[in-house]
Amino acid sequence: MELGNWESTADLNPIYAEIRRLDLERCIAEFDAFGFTVIEPDKVAPRGFHDRLLKAILTVHERRSGQRVTVDDLATASLPGDRPVATYWSLIGEDPVFEEALLNPVVTAMARYMCGKNAMLSDSIALVKRRDDTPTHLLHIDQAGTPPPLPAYQQVINITWALTDYTRANGCVAMVPGSHRFGHMPMPYEENFLSNEGPVKAIPVECAPGSLVIWGGTTWHGSYPRTADGLRVNLIQVFCRSYMKPVRDFRNEIPKEIVDRNGPEFAQLIGLKSLYPIDKDKPFDMEARNRFLSAGLNQWG
Ligand SMILES: [Fe+2]
């Protein structure tokens, strides 16, 4: 149908128009039905962008772990130490490519459709995962700590850039389709989807490098142990609604020059325009208050 500038969906109209422009309607339908979706690489960014992201993460890996891994090593390399997964939090500021990934139109359209026009980044994280039989991520939800009943609308969304080939042998994500409607997080006896005796069955999400795998904060998921040689690399962007507490304190962590070089949309996405915390020494931000109030009128605010 033709979209209109309808008053009762004032916040949703531009967000939905952007979803349609980017050919993402199938993705939001899949997400609504199953609690997750996959967006193919060609819709997301040119191939060169995925390569830049991958190289930037390998540079962070070298800086923080001391181990040099090149793209050519990825099929055979492993990780030092005992941990099967290296986790790198707080990537904004490490390389401008992470700022570009945040401003990617597909990312912002999906984040805003799911978490409202004021959706904020909670953190950008990279995982580097090696061959190891140890189950690292049993079933869980990404908004752990939210008491049941979990809301039917999204408060948190995970947008994961798969930057190496996602297959079950490569340790891809495991999803429980439809679990975003269960209303609670997995109980301990439900977590082990790798056990044949476990009560909950998951499916592997296999996709090409450069794809986005997107799921909600209430969708039950985990990941398969990597049984193949080499490393799995991804970038995880977690978004939350504007009334929630992000993982990072971007207000105090991001240098002004990074905000200035990216402009107002970036500032909004890292929460610099959100109402909270209110600074008692500054004039009350009426514009932020009005944005916050409109967010209370519908799930797209
Ligand atoms: Fe997770």
Side-chain angles (χ1 to χ4, degrees):
M1 68 181 183
E2 198 173 325
L3 301 175
N5 190 20
W6 301 312
E7 204 171 327
S8 57
T9 50
D11 287 332
L12 174 61
N13 299 333
I15 297 172
Y16 196 92
E18 183 72 347
I19 290 284
R20 179 168 286 184
R21 184 183 77 80
L22 295 167
D23 194 21
L24 299 175
E25 285 172 301
R26 195 199 73 203
C27 301
I28 61 171
E30 290 170 353
F31 191 109
D32 181 61
F34 303 110
F36 67 99
T37 187
V38 177
I39 304 180
E40 56 267 41
D42 291 348
K43 272 190 186 168
V44 180
R47 165 62 45 198
F49 184 77
H50 304 129
D51 294 342
R52 282 176 59 212
L53 259 186
L54 179 59
K55 283 180 184 156
I57 290 170
L58 293 178
T59 300
V60 171
H61 173 71
E62 181 174 359
R63 200 178 293 144
R64 297 193 190 179
S65 76
Q67 182 198 24
R68 179 167 166 72
V69 177
T70 69
V71 171
D72 295 334
D73 303 328
L74 283 171
T76 55
S78 189
L79 295 173
D82 333 320
R83 304 183 77 174
V85 181
T87 305
Y88 300 116
W89 300 83
S90 189
L91 295 178
I92 297 289
E94 288 277 4
D95 187 297
V97 76
F98 298 118
E99 297 151 39
E100 290 176 53
L102 175 57
L103 290 165
N104 177 286
V106 174
V107 168
T108 53
M110 290 299 287
R112 289 177 179 136
Y113 183 80
M114 298 300 168
C115 290
K117 71 176 181 187
N118 294 312
M120 301 186 306
L121 184 70
S122 186
D123 200 8
S124 289
I125 308 145
L127 300 184
V128 181
K129 177 171 167 174
R130 74 174 182 199
R131 177 176 188 152
D132 195 305
D133 289 341
T134 314
T136 52
H137 294 102
L138 294 178
L139 293 179
H140 64 280
I141 61 170
D142 283 344
Q143 64 181 90
T146 310
L150 298 175
Y153 57 88
Q154 300 303 319
Q155 292 179 316
V156 169
I157 183 174
N158 181 320
I159 299 182
T160 287
W161 299 65
L163 297 171
T164 51
D165 204 15
Y166 261 41
T167 64
R168 180 171 175 155
N170 287 351
C172 68
V173 178
M175 288 284 166
V176 181
S179 54
H180 62 315
R181 308 246 185 255
F182 289 178
H184 63 95
M185 61 188 288
M187 300 294 285
Y189 70 89
E190 296 169 312
E191 290 172 353
N192 192 356
F193 67 98
L194 297 165
S195 160
N196 286 334
E197 287 81 48
V200 181
K201 303 291 179 260
I203 56 111
V205 179
E206 301 190 310
C207 59
S211 305
L212 298 184
V213 186
I214 302 181
W215 63 92
T218 60
T219 305
W220 295 20
H221 66 283
S223 75
Y224 290 90
R226 186 176 174 106
T227 56
D229 283 341
L231 298 174
R232 188 200 76 172
V233 182
N234 66 23
L235 171 70
I236 301 169
Q237 296 170 311
V238 180
F239 291 85
C240 64
R241 286 186 179 267
S242 62
Y243 53 79
M244 299 178 82
K245 196 173 177 75
V247 167
R248 295 248 75 76
D249 177 9
F250 290 118
R251 285 186 188 212
N252 291 308
E253 290 181 14
I254 299 297
K256 186 172 179 306
E257 65 262 27
I258 293 182
V259 178
D260 290 346
R261 76 181 176 217
N262 286 292
E265 185 181 18
F266 180 83
Q268 183 271 316
L269 286 166
I270 63 169
L272 302 192
K273 297 185 174 185
S274 65
L275 182 60
Y276 302 144
I278 294 170
D279 187 337
K280 67 179 170 47
D281 297 322
K282 285 189 181 161
F284 186 71
D285 187 344
M286 197 55 79
E287 198 192 320
R289 172 201 172 263
N290 291 339
R291 269 200 312 273
F292 192 80
L293 280 186
S294 85
L297 298 177
N298 61 58
Q299 75 175 80
W300 295 283

